[in-house]
Amino acid sequence: MSSLASGSSPAVARAEFDALFERLRTWGRWADAGRGAFGRVGAGQVRRAVELVRSGTVVAMGLPWNTVCGPDNRKPALHYFSDLGDVEPPEPATHKDFIGADYHGKGVSHLDALSHVAYRGRLYDGGEAGRLVGAAGARFGDVAALGPLVTRGVLLDLPAVQGTDWLEPGQAVHAADLLAAEAAHGVRIGEGDALLVRTGRFRRRRRLGAWDADEAGAGLHVHAVPLLAERGIALLGADGDNDVRPSPVEGVHSPVHALTVAAMGVPLLDNLDLEALAAACADAGRYAFLCVVAPLDVPGGTGSPVNPVAVL
């Protein structure tokens, strides 16, 4: 029985996790360490991704700006109007609004840059987090160093492979589940790819209501990460925050974040709405596409709200 069916999430000892971290880390590999694994993506990779565009169907993956407090949005985004056209003339009248967000949570679609995650006090490539990240911003691995991310995207729609609408919160995804989804979709994760994993979180939320996604969420188990390292992905995203919750590693609340960002230098996309993309891929009968992510250029920023786009 697959782990999706059983919902297994075996515990991982801290010593085993630390050994895995050491085995997967790629520190010192990239000339531009601040971009990490996206160093795999050059002009040739981008051209091959563009060649995947056939129908021209464009699918956005970002959530609506979420200003409503809830169990999965404890720090709602801000949106208010600063000018309603009632300022003194001359013409024309203008309307202006303000937005802001503490976006590293469960309510905003966002990109995690390499400065976002440290493990045992070290950022990706070994720099001391306390020295490189402070109130003035990150001096290594900021989102401005990443710039626009354009590459081949691959969607693995795990509920579709299982024959369900969604994975239940707490359900762990293992390497065998990813391989089964590849086979079912007729696609293979390759070097430099952006891998997007659908668990059906937002279909479940719309049907059954919100829950505390910090306490329980479907996502990758740490045992799935070596496959991603072997395949050489450049970017990882999901409709959750990529980690199964609760964490299987005692004392490490986000072990997949630690392995991908801090060990492998792989930026993450959290809280994507993959429902429309899953439908578009099913209609097209293919699960590879051009993926475009354009974060805000925030010098020193640990990430950015984003609205990634897939083009089929």
Side-chain angles (χ1 to χ4, degrees):
M1 182 179 292
S2 77
S3 62
L4 290 182
S6 65
S8 61
S9 181
V12 176
R14 186 67 175 272
E16 178 188 347
F17 178 79
D18 285 347
L20 182 60
F21 187 96
E22 289 300 311
R23 178 159 67 90
L24 297 184
R25 70 183 177 94
T26 60
W27 296 0
R29 177 170 180 177
W30 307 107
D32 186 354
R35 300 190 81 230
F38 223 82
R40 292 187 168 98
V41 181
Q45 178 80 16
V46 174
R47 286 194 299 270
R48 288 190 292 274
V50 170
E51 290 169 359
L52 293 171
V53 177
R54 299 174 193 169
S55 67
T57 300
V58 178
V59 184
M61 294 178 272
L63 293 171
W65 198 244
N66 193 347
T67 61
V68 179
C69 186
D72 56 354
N73 192 28
R74 296 172 182 171
K75 297 179 180 179
L78 302 177
H79 182 207
Y80 62 80
F81 276 78
S82 55
D83 184 347
L84 290 174
D86 52 1
V87 180
E88 293 292 325
E91 296 283 4
T94 59
H95 308 91
K96 302 174 185 177
D97 53 345
F98 168 91
I99 61 172
D102 188 350
Y103 58 87
H104 283 301
K106 302 298 189 292
V108 177
S109 301
H110 66 269
L111 174 70
D112 290 342
L114 302 191
S115 55
H116 175 54
V117 178
Y119 185 64
R120 295 197 181 278
R122 301 287 174 176
L123 298 174
Y124 177 71
D125 222 42
E128 186 179 341
R131 183 175 58 84
L132 294 174
V133 184
R139 294 189 288 114
F140 169 84
D142 68 349
V143 71
L146 286 176
L149 306 177
V150 181
T151 191
R152 176 183 183 252
V154 171
L155 174 69
L156 296 185
D157 186 350
L158 300 179
V161 174
Q162 168 108 15
T164 62
D165 288 335
W166 54 72
L167 306 188
E168 289 295 341
Q171 209 163 342
V173 176
H174 291 268
D177 304 312
L178 301 178
L179 294 171
E182 280 188 327
H185 295 330
V187 69
R188 180 180 171 85
I189 307 162
E191 184 169 2
D193 282 352
L195 171 62
L196 307 180
V197 178
R198 176 180 175 263
T199 69
R201 172 190 172 192
F202 291 106
R203 179 174 294 186
R204 187 185 194 279
R205 189 184 190 279
R206 288 159 190 158
R207 187 96 47 92
L208 301 181
W211 69 94
D212 187 345
D214 282 322
E215 293 296 322
L220 295 180
H221 191 277
V222 295
H223 288 163
V225 180
L227 173 65
L228 308 185
E230 175 188 320
R231 297 292 184 84
I233 66 168
L235 182 64
L236 175 65
D239 50 7
D241 70 354
N242 291 284
D243 270 279
V244 66
R245 299 192 181 280
S247 168
V249 184
E250 185 177 358
V252 183
H253 67 82
S254 299
V256 170
H257 275 64
L259 291 177
T260 53
V261 180
M264 296 162 51
V266 174
L268 297 183
L269 291 166
D270 291 342
N271 310 318
L272 302 179
D273 188 341
L274 298 176
E275 297 305 304
L277 179 59
C281 287
D283 287 345
R286 57 192 180 93
Y287 287 79
F289 42 83
L290 172 66
C291 182
V292 180
V293 185
L296 299 175
D297 188 347
V298 183
T302 62
S304 169
V306 288
N307 184 18
V309 171
V311 188
L312 282 77

